[in-house]
Amino acid sequence: MSDVSVSSDSVKSDVEPMVAVYRHDVHKARSRSHEHAEHELHGVRVNEPVPHGADADAALLSRPRGEPEQTVDAHESWYRLSLLTGQVVSTTEAVDDVNAALRELVECEDAETLHAAWVESSVPALFSESPYYPYTSLKFHTLLAAALLDNYRSGFEFDELFLAVTPRDAAREIVPHQTVLATPGFALHVTGEPDGRPAAQLGDVPARSFADTWARLPELPFDVDASRLWRVLDAQLRRVRSWSVALQYVEEFVAAFEPESNSQRRRGAAESRGGRRE
């Protein structure tokens, strides 16, 4: 079993790069390594290289460099382990036909539609980036690779990129290719242009630095004083270093506990005030 990927610019492809990046690693959702992967899925080319080293840099955000070794005894599988529950997610998520479910993640030729499909899909979240690192997430590795590639193609270097968050009282915004996580109440982005949003630099080089970056954010996208659940989530994110593990944890945490969003809290407060007046 191997998790080795080919990301070099030496292998050429005629597929538009921002389309190829969403198709590159779907072999992992079929429990196949890159070297043993098929080159077509649902009639489209997959398993192709990602230019500018974006896939390799995204991998370094979540996995250590070097030869991998099995890190969890008795778990030699591409199915992801949940950091939230400690369980294999395939035992709790119902997907009748993974290959059929992957169709919407690869078939479209429009890159922005592919990005939206990956942001909303739960299917790639069933799988890890590597069987050697089972808490990592194929879904968020792919979204990180796409965000890096989009920024690199715009001329930004890695050390010029930021983690930007939805401002606490603003509406959630989905930015094509740069939004790496979208919950019902907020979104997180990797971008070279924070545009006034609360943001923290990713660092000098790609590394497992999520906790450090999260701790440097000048403002969180949720109010930790409003809910114990938000405080628990914030505390955990200040410990998790792997980017894809952290982003997957946020998605699972919010889905499981549904902490009250800022907008819901404001509506609730307004309704409460209205009730008292009546």
Side-chain angles (χ1 to χ4, degrees):
M1 188 159 50
S2 170
D3 67 344
V4 175
S5 294
V6 174
S7 303
S8 105
D9 297 332
S10 61
V11 182
K12 300 301 182 184
S13 169
D14 57 3
V15 176
E16 203 281 314
M18 290 312 305
V19 171
V21 70
Y22 295 109
R23 298 173 174 174
H24 170 70
D25 270 345
V26 292
H27 59 85
K28 296 181 178 181
R30 309 178 81 197
S31 300
R32 296 177 182 176
S33 62
H34 185 84
E35 61 267 33
H36 297 119
E38 295 181 0
H39 297 295
E40 283 197 359
L41 177 64
H42 297 303
V44 300
R45 291 183 59 181
V46 295
N47 198 30
E48 293 189 281
V50 176
H52 301 291
D55 181 57
D57 286 356
L60 289 173
L61 289 175
S62 303
R63 290 177 276 157
R65 190 190 300 274
E67 291 297 321
E69 297 180 353
Q70 190 168 342
T71 54
V72 177
D73 292 340
H75 184 78
E76 191 174 2
S77 167
W78 288 92
Y79 282 108
R80 185 176 59 83
L81 287 177
S82 167
L83 187 64
L84 185 66
T85 67
Q87 302 298 312
V88 181
V89 293
S90 63
T91 63
T92 57
E93 297 281 349
V95 179
D96 294 333
D97 187 337
V98 170
N99 280 340
L102 291 174
R103 180 184 294 275
E104 69 172 4
L105 300 177
V106 301
E107 191 173 51
C108 181
E109 296 293 336
D110 179 76
E112 291 191 11
T113 301
L114 288 176
H115 171 257
W118 276 83
V119 167
E120 298 298 332
S121 179
S122 61
V123 176
L126 298 176
F127 302 93
S128 64
E129 294 183 41
S130 161
Y132 300 106
Y133 302 101
Y135 291 98
T136 59
S137 168
L138 170 60
K139 172 176 178 174
F140 290 101
H141 163 73
T142 300
L143 289 168
L144 286 165
L148 294 181
L149 178 59
D150 184 63
N151 283 290
Y152 292 166
R153 296 181 81 207
S154 296
F156 293 103
E157 302 288 341
F158 183 86
D159 61 0
E160 297 174 306
L161 300 181
F162 297 81
L163 173 67
V165 305
T166 304
R168 189 170 299 166
D169 294 319
R172 187 191 73 163
E173 181 185 14
I174 305 298
V175 183
H177 312 308
Q178 296 186 1
T179 297
V180 294
L181 169 72
T183 76
F186 63 89
L188 305 180
H189 321 273
V190 170
T191 178
E193 298 177 316
D195 292 331
R197 292 171 293 194
Q201 281 190 291
L202 270 56
D204 295 333
V205 295
R208 293 182 295 171
S209 60
F210 186 87
D212 299 334
T213 306
W214 181 263
R216 285 188 279 103
L217 284 169
E219 178 184 317
L220 300 181
F222 44 79
D223 186 356
V224 294
D225 294 327
S227 166
R228 185 185 68 85
L229 288 171
W230 286 133
R231 291 195 292 276
V232 170
L233 178 59
D234 176 47
Q236 290 293 74
L237 294 179
R238 292 173 187 270
R239 300 186 180 99
V240 181
R241 304 198 63 78
S242 167
W243 278 73
S244 75
V245 173
L247 296 174
Q248 185 66 71
Y249 182 78
V250 176
E251 184 175 71
E252 281 192 273
F253 188 96
V254 172
F257 300 115
E258 299 181 338
E260 190 178 32
S261 70
N262 297 326
S263 59
Q264 288 172 327
R265 189 178 65 257
R266 289 195 301 275
R267 285 198 298 271
E271 291 168 358
S272 176
R273 288 193 299 272
R276 285 195 296 269
R277 284 195 298 271
E278 293 173 358

